[in-house]
Amino acid sequence: DAKTTQPPSMDCAEGRAANLPCNHSTISGNEYVYWYRQIHSQGPQYIIHGLKNNETNEMASLIITEDRKSSTLILPHATLRDTAVYYCIVRVAHNAGNNRKLIWGLGTSLAVNP
Amino acid sequence: ETGVTQTPRHLVMGMTNKKSLKCEQHLGHNAMYWYKQSAKKPLELMFVYNFKEQTENNSVPSRFSPECPNSSHLFLHLHTLQPEDSALYLCASSQGSLAGGIDNEQFFGPGTRLTVL
């Protein structure tokens, strides 16, 4: 079962910031939060990941609360091409050794409107 | 070609057919994955290969048979499928490690849309 909860859909005006929330209240101390997105008719695309600190790259910023029970993905200036399903994922340890597993949910369908 | 490619992009097959899906990655990665994406359901991990060795089989029925001849190629052989196997099948790759750990920054192909009649 997914360890994250996201709103099923959101809208955003083109050029404005898109703030996508995610709840992961049962996250453990060594579990990372990953974000991917899936544009229609394409495979998922990695965006960003983090553990405790806020992270930023050329695509987005990830803000993680101090208690790590929730996070927000920020697309600072959304464009029409950012319309996609955004997945917030917790990476869990699932067997002996170093293997970790991404637990996918249903994501948030973001519509960026002109 | 760059990235992760998958062929065919669309496939329609009967329940008695045998077919194969192909995935190729041009990223120099050593870990490869098969996922199943059904409508209204989360992405399901099926198989993981790390340096050509299968490290994960997520209780997948034997009518799905993966093959990883080298770190750049991954196949999914299909036989006697059921209509409920109709889905988008996604291949992904990432950095692998001989120590066993794999990088979860995965690069996905566009998928094969499979319809089983």
Side-chain angles (χ1 to χ4, degrees), chain B residues 29-96:
Chain B
H29 292 158
N30 286 295
M32 296 188 78
Y33 312 73
W34 279 117
Y35 284 89
K36 176 183 179 182
Q37 188 171 36
S38 304
K40 310 294 185 189
K41 292 178 69 175
L43 213 61
E44 299 173 54
L45 179 65
M46 300 175 71
F47 302 103
V48 181
Y49 281 82
N50 187 28
F51 281 84
K52 299 191 298 178
E53 298 297 319
Q54 189 182 117
T55 57
E56 178 102 17
N57 177 338
N58 201 22
S59 303
V60 181
S62 60
R63 58 186 184 270
F64 295 91
S65 174
E67 179 190 0
C68 189
N70 55 61
S71 291
S72 298
H73 294 86
L74 186 65
F75 295 88
L76 188 62
H77 304 298
L78 317 171
H79 64 99
T80 61
L81 295 192
Q82 305 297 313
E84 59 264 29
D85 296 322
S86 299
L88 181 69
Y89 288 85
L90 291 157
C91 173
S93 70
S94 72
Q95 293 291 350

Side-chain angles (χ1 to χ4, degrees), chain B residues 1-7 9 22 24-28 110:
Chain B
E1 287 229 53
T2 58
V4 181
T5 59
Q6 290 186 244
T7 54
R9 293 294 307 276
K22 179 183 176 182
E24 185 173 0
Q25 59 93 4
H26 306 268
L27 299 168

